[in-house]
Amino acid sequence: MIVRRAFTVAVAAFFLFTGSASALPFSQAPRQQAREKTPEPVTGDLVSLNTDTKSLVVKAGDTEMKFSFSEETEIVGAEKGAQGLATVSGATVTVTYQIHGTANVATRIEVKQKK
């Protein structure tokens, strides 16, 4: 008798918990989205450029940031693309970028004309 009662309680508890868990709407299930945010563009002075490693350093205020770039990076205001950046060292640039892991990858580099 005690075994039968324990079995009945166990079965009832099973249906009680599984029934209420499945009654939750799917939209209320926890969701985690792994979206990388696009940070604000950085404007500063072009400190260094290495066309071999396709990287540049920009100093914005007291902070220096390193960026990588590729053939797909849009370069505006410098003749001959990345090669032209080498001729404007010290110029003010605005770098639009994305964060990929620990790397800052430039998607657009705009050279500001000196006034």
Side-chain angles (χ1 to χ4, degrees), residues 3-40:
V3 173
R4 180 177 254 170
R5 191 174 285 170
F7 178 76
T8 305
V9 170
V11 169
F14 172 79
F15 285 114
L16 176 68
F17 289 115
T18 59
S20 45
S22 63
L24 288 175
F26 182 71
S27 62
Q28 290 181 3
R31 296 181 188 178
Q32 183 177 6
Q33 298 177 349
R35 292 185 187 174
E36 291 184 296
K37 294 184 179 181
T38 302
E40 292 294 318

Side-chain angles (χ1 to χ4, degrees), residues 58-77:
V58 174
K59 184 173 183 177
D62 294 333
T63 304
E64 287 189 357
M65 292 184 70
K66 183 176 182 177
F67 300 93
S68 62
F69 61 91
S70 67
E71 290 79 27
E72 290 82 32
T73 303
E74 180 183 8
I75 300 175
V76 179

